[in-house]
Amino acid sequence: MLSKHRELFIFICMLIIVPLAGEPQIHPFGGDFQNFRVSFGSPLFLLFLLWLRRVPMVVSGLCTGITVVLFRALLDVIGGMDFFPALYLHVPTFFYYFTYAICFATLRLNDMPITTQAMKIACYAIGAEVIASIAELYSMDFFLGTHAAIINLSVLTRLTGIAFLRCFFILSFFFLSQLYITEIHLSHESREKNRLTMLIAGLYEEVFELQKTLRNAETATHDCYGVYEELRVLHSMESLPRITQEVLRIAGEVHEIKKDNQRIYAGLSELTNNHHMSDYLSAPELCHLIVSTQKKYARRLDKNITFLTNLSPELPDIHVYTMLSILNNLAANAVEAIHQKGTISITMRRSVTEDLILEVQNTGSSIPLRRLAQIFRPGYTTKYDSTGRASSGVGLTYIKTLAESLGGSITAASDGTSQVLFKVTLPLAQIAPQNEMTPPATTNAETIGKKGFSS
């Protein structure tokens, strides 16, 4: 519906603007052809023909031609001329717009973007204007009795020159506007793609949470049924207390919850385990997405944080959602841990043992050395919201579980004062496309990783 309303709005604008634009005019011919005018009406008519997609061009030419004739006749009536003679005087103009639309309607654009077919459109526009101008000249000869419609080389050259200048002007404007609109659309699509990518990456962590819930539900069901069995042994079937039946009912409800969660887990697992080539991105693209997201997060928290990256050039494409779920957790933890000002450095390199080494180091915060051994424990957290409620404490636990499930590991280090370093090691065979698992061009990946961070 919005598209139809847009087309109707453009169509009405065409019927209003084209007659108005036709009034500022020049007369390139003298003598019998002095009534032949050149104005901005026709180039703007071309612009509207390119914009309108649903309205047939012949209909646009018919309606525009009638509107222009009526508008010019009314202006002459205002100037003191009778209506019908004024209308008859401007009838040749109708044939100009109608012929122009018929000629341009023969243009058949292929499925390629309209901006790549500029030369084809320009040639058709110039040809359509020349033919439409000739049709107007002959109609002037027929209706006004000039008897001088002689199209020679001089007249044809002048008509072609005028058509070229007018088409060049309006097509330049049209294609510039199209390129601008395309850039806006690409920017919007890029933002939407990044948003969806981060959303899917978050699903990986939710799958881990759901898996933990399934284990808890299974344990709760088993424990409830164990209590029921113990109570049943202590009492005969006739004298079972009501609480025994309640325990059995609770066990059944927890079991139903577990089955519901299993169905959800099966769907999410299929989504997160179904890797396609489109699920892989290069290391620079991954880091750009993370840095862009975390910069916004830091600004929202009113923190002054500088982000640095150091990426080895020989890295293959990496599974985007697995890496983002790890990297986003580590980067977000660093942003939250930094008090007011600090630096977050992200390093990715390829080791000689075909592992991906990911390091996230930040300044402006620290972890007490006595707590380093506890930070990967489920439920452990040092973060609280504004109401004093503790965080879930599953982020680092999730990363550790995921890394180990892929055959990797994660370690943490801190100087105890102002620096924290997390190092994740993952086998590239688990996170890179198999066709990209080629040996590195050089064997100094470890050396590259030890160089200074670059922005």
Side-chain angles (χ1 to χ4, degrees):
M1 291 300 294
L2 289 176
S3 180
K4 291 181 180 179
H5 291 162
R6 174 183 174 275
E7 291 280 316
L8 179 61
F9 176 74
I10 294 176
F11 185 75
I12 294 174
C13 287
M14 177 182 67
L15 298 182
I16 296 173
I17 294 175
V18 171
L20 292 173
E23 290 313 301
Q25 58 198 262
I26 59 173
H27 297 269
F29 303 113
D32 293 325
F33 292 98
Q34 63 182 352
N35 288 330
F36 180 81
R37 65 176 70 187
V38 176
S39 64
F40 286 105
S42 60
L44 286 176
F45 181 57
L46 168 61
L47 185 64
F48 283 110
L49 287 180
L50 292 172
W51 273 338
L52 289 170
R53 300 297 176 86
R54 297 175 181 269
V55 181
M57 292 186 180
V58 175
V59 174
S60 296
L62 181 67
C63 294
T64 303
I66 293 174
T67 305
V68 171
V69 170
L70 290 175
F71 180 74
R72 293 181 181 178
L74 288 174
L75 289 180
D76 289 343
V77 169
I78 294 173
M81 193 174 181
D82 291 338
F83 177 73
F84 287 104
L87 187 68
Y88 191 78
L89 178 66
H90 295 291
V91 166
T93 304
F94 166 81
F95 288 95
Y96 173 87
Y97 286 100
F98 188 62
T99 305
Y100 191 101
I102 291 176
C103 294
F104 207 76
T106 61
L107 174 63
R108 292 291 180 267
L109 298 175
N110 54 36
D111 295 333
M112 296 174 62
I114 194 170
T115 51
T116 64
Q117 305 179 68
M119 290 302 298
K120 187 176 181 179
I121 294 173
C123 292
Y124 262 84
I126 293 172
E129 181 157 346
V130 171
I131 295 173
S133 297
I134 293 174
E136 184 179 4
L137 289 172
Y138 273 100
S139 61
M140 288 172 61
D141 185 15
F142 179 80
F143 286 98
L144 304 181
T146 57
H147 302 292
I150 301 174
I151 306 301
N152 53 34
L153 182 61
S154 175
V155 172
L156 192 60
T157 302
R158 196 177 303 182
L159 289 176
T160 304
I162 293 171
F164 178 81
L165 291 175
R166 292 203 297 192
C167 291
F168 176 80
F169 169 76
I170 204 65
L171 287 177
S172 298
F173 172 79
F174 173 75
F175 287 114
L176 284 175
S177 65
Q178 288 295 110
L179 287 174
Y180 177 71
I181 293 172
T182 301
E183 287 183 359
I184 293 176
H185 287 168
L186 288 175
S187 176
H188 175 74
E189 289 177 2
S190 177
R191 288 195 300 269
E192 184 64 16
K193 180 183 176 182
N194 290 343
R195 187 187 70 83
L196 291 176
T197 299
M198 297 302 297
L199 181 64
I200 295 174
L203 285 178
Y204 276 70
E205 186 172 350
E206 298 306 320
V207 168
F208 168 77
E209 282 286 285
L210 191 56
Q211 190 177 30
K212 184 165 70 80
T213 301
L214 284 173
R215 290 195 299 267
N216 293 341
E218 182 67 30
T219 301
T221 303
H222 182 269
D223 291 346
C224 284
Y225 193 75
V227 172
Y228 168 76
E229 286 294 325
E230 289 183 11
L231 291 172
R232 192 169 64 85
V233 169
L234 295 175
H235 301 81
S236 63
M237 293 300 296
E238 294 78 11
S239 60
L240 279 177
R242 187 178 63 85
I243 192 173
T244 305
Q245 298 301 321
E246 283 296 305
V247 170
L248 185 61
R249 183 187 63 79
I250 293 171
E253 290 185 356
V254 173
H255 183 67
E256 288 299 314
I257 293 172
K258 187 196 76 170
K259 288 197 298 183
D260 291 339
N261 284 347
Q262 279 178 331
R263 287 191 290 270
I264 299 172
Y265 178 75
L268 291 178
S269 295
E270 183 178 355
L271 173 65
T272 55
N273 292 329
N274 190 15
H275 295 179
H276 302 283
M277 287 305 297
S278 59
D279 293 337
Y280 295 86
L281 282 179
S282 65
E285 289 175 307
L286 283 169
C287 285
H288 174 74
L289 178 56
I290 285 294
V291 169
S292 176
T293 302
Q294 297 304 325
K295 277 184 177 179
K296 295 176 183 176
Y297 187 34
R299 285 197 296 267
R300 186 160 64 88
L301 297 179
D302 198 23
K303 295 183 179 182
N304 183 13
I305 299 177
T306 302
F307 290 84
L308 306 174
T309 59
N310 182 24
L311 310 175
S312 296
E314 70 273 8
L315 285 172
D317 287 352
I318 304 170
H319 188 250
V320 57
Y321 305 120
T322 301
M323 184 52 58
L324 282 181
S325 60
I326 294 175
L327 194 53
N328 195 47
N329 262 297
L330 293 176
N333 283 346
V335 169
E336 293 167 354
I338 292 173
H339 300 299
Q340 286 299 326
K341 183 177 181 181
T343 300
I344 297 177
S345 303
I346 300 174
T347 301
M348 296 174 68
R349 64 182 187 272
R350 186 175 189 166
S351 72
V352 293
T353 57
E354 290 299 298
D355 289 331
L356 172 69
I357 308 298
L358 168 65
E359 295 179 347
V360 177
Q361 184 176 21
N362 72 271
T363 62
S365 70
S366 67
I367 300 175
L369 299 181
R370 67 181 184 278
R371 293 183 178 176
L372 280 175
Q374 306 175 42
I375 60 174
F376 296 108
R377 192 182 67 199
Y380 177 82
T381 184
T382 58
K383 295 182 292 185
Y384 298 86
D385 61 17
S386 58
T387 64
R389 185 173 55 186
S391 175
S392 62
V394 299
L396 291 177
T397 306
Y398 161 71
I399 296 174
K400 184 174 185 293
T401 303
L402 178 59
E404 291 175 350
S405 69
L406 295 172
S409 62
I410 180 173
T411 58
S414 176
D415 62 0
T417 56
S418 63
Q419 213 169 54
V420 177
L421 172 66
F422 285 94
K423 181 179 179 181
V424 182
T425 303
L426 298 172
L428 280 172
Q430 297 290 333
I431 58 174
Q434 292 303 310
N435 60 348
E436 291 196 24
M437 282 306 301
T438 56
T442 60
T443 59
N444 62 342
E446 297 291 340
T447 306
I448 295 175
K450 292 177 182 178
K451 293 181 181 179
F453 292 108
S454 59
S455 58

